[in-house]
Amino acid sequence: EVQLVESGGGLVQPGGSLRLSCAASGSTVRSYWMHWVRQAPGKGLVWVSRINIDGRTTNYADSVKGRFTISRDNAKNTLFLQMNSLRAEDMAVYYCAIDLVSGSGSLQSWGQGTLVTVSS
Amino acid sequence: QSALTQPASVSGSPGQSITISCTGTSSDIGAYNYVSWFQHHPGKAPKLMIYEVSNRPSGISDRFSGSKSGNTASLTISGLQAEDEADYYCSSYTGSGTNTVVFGGGTKLTVL
């Protein structure tokens, strides 16, 4: 069974940047679409982005389009999320997840999340 | 990309059955059989309970079942147990050129 571990979260000022990583172990993830989902403090889950198997197809929520970039390195079994121009409303726990059924959102395996705090 | 609509809370006694609804539109739930349900205990990773409207991943109890009618999906939990108390979220794929995923606002299940 695959395990996912997110890293790269932390405190950043508004307008700053962070790069999140999601390292997979126990199994290869090269055959799966992958997603980022976030949860702001006290709020619900919100979908952020997805990427296909070879990294050539990516999609984003309107709230992050143009500011966030999802990518993957299948050789390193790792997913990334580059976050630029960060805003207070981006503050959340960010989860990575593996899609059981192409890019449909059937998110079978999740990491424990990494906290991004945006504050001056 | 409007969120799917779920009731904020539901409750039930041990042994009872409850149903959580999830209402979308003809562009998401009504258009695709890609509805998923997740169980989330605070501080832990969300857990996939149902995918493709009514399929259970390996290891998920058959007390959990899903269905869909029109633009509304439902999750039913039978034989409620104390450990079922958690937040539950639905999600749906949305095509129509956006090719994104949308979540519901979440439902807090309380086992009385």
Side-chain angles (χ1 to χ4, degrees), chain A residues 47 50 58-60 62 65, chain B residues 1 27 93-101:
Chain A
W47 180 82
R50 70 172 189 167
T58 59
N59 300 103
Y60 300 91
D62 287 344
K65 197 174 297 182
Chain B
Q1 295 174 347
S27 295
Y93 174 73
T94 72
S96 302
T98 62
N99 298 318
T100 59
V101 174

Tab-separated table of all heavy atoms in Angstrom, chain A residues 47 50 58-60 62 65, chain B residues 1 27 93-101:
chain	number	residue	atom	x	y	z
A	47	TRP	N	-11.005	21.229	-3.297
A	47	TRP	CA	-10.108	20.719	-4.331
A	47	TRP	C	-9.263	21.845	-4.903
A	47	TRP	O	-9.767	22.966	-5.113
A	47	TRP	CB	-10.937	20.077	-5.440
A	47	TRP	CG	-10.119	19.510	-6.550
A	47	TRP	CD1	-9.493	18.306	-6.577
A	47	TRP	CD2	-9.844	20.135	-7.806
A	47	TRP	NE1	-8.828	18.137	-7.773
A	47	TRP	CE2	-9.030	19.244	-8.553
A	47	TRP	CE3	-10.174	21.357	-8.383
A	47	TRP	CZ2	-8.579	19.535	-9.835
A	47	TRP	CZ3	-9.738	21.654	-9.658
A	47	TRP	CH2	-8.934	20.742	-10.371
A	50	ARG	N	-5.172	18.944	-10.107
A	50	ARG	CA	-4.904	17.556	-10.448
A	50	ARG	C	-3.921	17.500	-11.604
A	50	ARG	O	-3.778	18.462	-12.379
A	50	ARG	CB	-6.194	16.821	-10.821
A	50	ARG	CG	-6.795	17.267	-12.143
A	50	ARG	CD	-7.957	16.376	-12.584
A	50	ARG	NE	-8.363	16.704	-13.969
A	50	ARG	CZ	-9.164	15.966	-14.717
A	50	ARG	NH1	-9.683	14.841	-14.226
A	50	ARG	NH2	-9.453	16.315	-15.927
A	58	THR	N	-2.953	19.222	-16.719
A	58	THR	CA	-3.148	19.760	-15.377
A	58	THR	C	-4.410	20.608	-15.355
A	58	THR	O	-4.789	21.222	-16.362
A	58	THR	CB	-1.962	20.623	-14.942
A	58	THR	OG1	-1.796	21.713	-15.874
A	58	THR	CG2	-0.667	19.817	-14.904
A	59	ASN	N	-5.065	20.634	-14.214
A	59	ASN	CA	-6.265	21.439	-14.033
A	59	ASN	C	-6.217	22.082	-12.653
A	59	ASN	O	-5.616	21.523	-11.724
A	59	ASN	CB	-7.529	20.587	-14.168
A	59	ASN	CG	-7.650	19.913	-15.520
A	59	ASN	OD1	-7.389	18.715	-15.641
A	59	ASN	ND2	-8.025	20.666	-16.535
A	60	TYR	N	-6.882	23.247	-12.541
A	60	TYR	CA	-6.815	24.014	-11.297
A	60	TYR	C	-8.185	24.577	-10.924
A	60	TYR	O	-9.013	24.876	-11.787
A	60	TYR	CB	-5.847	25.183	-11.453
A	60	TYR	CG	-4.437	24.773	-11.796
A	60	TYR	CD1	-4.032	24.660	-13.119
A	60	TYR	CD2	-3.521	24.481	-10.792
A	60	TYR	CE1	-2.736	24.262	-13.444
A	60	TYR	CE2	-2.227	24.087	-11.099
A	60	TYR	CZ	-1.847	23.974	-12.429
A	60	TYR	OH	-0.561	23.572	-12.737
A	62	ASP	N	-10.458	27.644	-9.846
A	62	ASP	CA	-10.377	29.049	-10.259
A	62	ASP	C	-9.619	29.899	-9.243
A	62	ASP	O	-8.912	30.842	-9.609
A	62	ASP	CB	-11.792	29.621	-10.439
A	62	ASP	CG	-12.473	29.100	-11.700
A	62	ASP	OD1	-11.776	28.548	-12.580
A	62	ASP	OD2	-13.709	29.242	-11.788
A	65	LYS	N	-5.816	29.360	-10.011
A	65	LYS	CA	-5.351	29.352	-11.394
A	65	LYS	C	-4.476	30.569	-11.667
A	65	LYS	O	-4.810	31.695	-11.283
A	65	LYS	CB	-6.547	29.340	-12.343
A	65	LYS	CG	-6.241	28.923	-13.763
A	65	LYS	CD	-7.529	28.816	-14.579
A	65	LYS	CE	-8.467	27.758	-14.044
A	65	LYS	NZ	-9.699	27.615	-14.871
B	1	GLN	N	-17.373	26.961	-10.272
B	1	GLN	CA	-16.974	25.868	-9.383
B	1	GLN	C	-17.643	26.020	-8.023
B	1	GLN	O	-16.967	26.097	-6.991
B	1	GLN	CB	-15.461	25.837	-9.246
B	1	GLN	CG	-14.742	25.501	-10.539
B	1	GLN	CD	-13.235	25.621	-10.408
B	1	GLN	OE1	-12.729	26.175	-9.449
B	1	GLN	NE2	-12.522	25.122	-11.397
B	27	SER	N	-24.162	19.759	-14.394
B	27	SER	CA	-22.782	19.798	-14.895
B	27	SER	C	-21.834	18.935	-14.078
B	27	SER	O	-20.695	18.714	-14.492
B	27	SER	CB	-22.254	21.251	-14.883
B	27	SER	OG	-22.987	22.057	-15.788
B	93	TYR	N	-16.778	14.863	-10.040
B	93	TYR	CA	-16.035	15.374	-11.179
B	93	TYR	C	-16.944	16.350	-11.923
B	93	TYR	O	-18.167	16.161	-11.983
B	93	TYR	CB	-15.640	14.231	-12.110
B	93	TYR	CG	-14.991	14.671	-13.395
B	93	TYR	CD1	-13.695	15.151	-13.409
B	93	TYR	CD2	-15.691	14.611	-14.599
B	93	TYR	CE1	-13.096	15.552	-14.598
B	93	TYR	CE2	-15.106	15.010	-15.782
B	93	TYR	CZ	-13.807	15.474	-15.778
B	93	TYR	OH	-13.226	15.873	-16.948
B	94	THR	N	-16.351	17.420	-12.446
B	94	THR	CA	-17.115	18.368	-13.244
B	94	THR	C	-16.400	18.513	-14.578
B	94	THR	O	-15.239	18.887	-14.625
B	94	THR	CB	-17.203	19.745	-12.569
B	94	THR	OG1	-15.921	20.385	-12.637
B	94	THR	CG2	-17.617	19.628	-11.132
B	95	GLY	N	-17.074	18.196	-15.651
B	95	GLY	CA	-16.459	18.315	-16.970
B	95	GLY	C	-16.840	19.637	-17.585
B	95	GLY	O	-16.553	20.682	-17.046
B	96	SER	N	-17.502	19.582	-18.691
B	96	SER	CA	-17.997	20.781	-19.374
B	96	SER	C	-16.899	21.798	-19.603
B	96	SER	O	-17.112	23.006	-19.453
B	96	SER	CB	-19.146	21.427	-18.584
B	96	SER	OG	-20.200	20.518	-18.399
B	97	GLY	N	-15.699	21.292	-19.912
B	97	GLY	CA	-14.607	22.198	-20.217
B	97	GLY	C	-13.763	22.592	-19.040
B	97	GLY	O	-12.632	23.048	-19.204
B	98	THR	N	-14.278	22.418	-17.829
B	98	THR	CA	-13.490	22.801	-16.662
B	98	THR	C	-12.596	21.665	-16.198
B	98	THR	O	-11.473	21.912	-15.754
B	98	THR	CB	-14.400	23.223	-15.492
B	98	THR	OG1	-15.212	22.100	-15.106
B	98	THR	CG2	-15.304	24.368	-15.901
B	99	ASN	N	-13.079	20.436	-16.323
B	99	ASN	CA	-12.299	19.255	-15.921
B	99	ASN	C	-11.728	19.414	-14.522
B	99	ASN	O	-10.508	19.316	-14.308
B	99	ASN	CB	-11.178	18.985	-16.924
B	99	ASN	CG	-11.712	18.692	-18.300
B	99	ASN	OD1	-12.697	17.977	-18.448
B	99	ASN	ND2	-11.080	19.258	-19.309
B	100	THR	N	-12.587	19.688	-13.591
B	100	THR	CA	-12.151	19.867	-12.210
B	100	THR	C	-12.958	18.939	-11.303
B	100	THR	O	-13.764	18.147	-11.763
B	100	THR	CB	-12.352	21.327	-11.763
B	100	THR	OG1	-13.743	21.660	-11.887
B	100	THR	CG2	-11.529	22.290	-12.597
B	101	VAL	N	-12.687	19.043	-10.032
B	101	VAL	CA	-13.399	18.269	-9.014
B	101	VAL	C	-13.967	19.269	-8.011
B	101	VAL	O	-13.318	20.270	-7.701
B	101	VAL	CB	-12.453	17.278	-8.313
B	101	VAL	CG1	-13.168	16.571	-7.153
B	101	VAL	CG2	-11.913	16.250	-9.304
